[in-house]
Every structure is written in C-alpha cells, then in structure tokens.
Amino acid sequence: QVQLVESGGGSVQSGGSLRLSCAVYGYTNSLSCMGWFRQAPGKEREGVAAIDSDGSTSYADSVKGRFTISQDDAKNTLYLQMNSLKPEDTAMYYCAADYRIPKLRSEGYNYWGQGTQVTVSS
C-alpha cells in the first residue's frame, strides 16, 4: 500500500508562488510515476505535471514554464513549484502515484492523496 499526504497549499495573489509537497509512505520502491492533478469547482480533474522513475517530466500546456515538478533523492517527497500563479490556477491539488506510467491520465493512477487547496486572487 502507498499513502500520499499533500501540504503547502494556501492563498496567494496573482503573480505569486507556492510550493506543494507530497509525502509518500509505504511500499514505494516500485513506483514508476507520480503526478499532480487539480480540480476546480464544477470542472473535471486535470493533469498538471507528472514525473517518471527515470526523471522524465510531463506538463499541461497551461502550466508549462510556470510550474516545475520534482522529487527528493530518496523519492519520498514529491514537489510542485508553482510560479506566476494566475486566478485560473485556483483548485484543489492532488498528488497521485502508480506502478505504471500513466503520466497525465488520472484514470491510470491507483493511489491518491486527500488534496490541498490553492487559491489565487486577482
């Protein structure tokens, strides 16, 4: 089993920055892919960024150049550095993990955190 616990959300003004963290617990040795997803009220969950076990990354077009996904060396913590935040980035952000490589496809992930709220005001 794998448990994921997000932190780092909050309220910021447009143009500001936040760094989200996701602590990973349990059997993590064979995890192949981890990702960040977000869901705004009334909208579908969308993939934001993903990182494979070999370090390759994927980003949604809407966040390219502004967000950066990374892991610590032990792969026990996943990060999402969010810069130049916009009001449209406001959403609940979720961390996800899987033994396969679903990249930005939410349906491919079996393990999910509870989410952390990000609110960006104009």
Side-chain angles (χ1 to χ4, degrees), residues 48-71:
V48 175
I51 185 167
D52 298 348
S53 56
D54 64 359
S56 61
T57 57
S58 305
Y59 293 94
D61 288 343
S62 59
V63 306
K64 282 181 181 177
R66 300 189 297 123
F67 290 11
T68 302
I69 189 171
S70 62
Q71 290 176 299

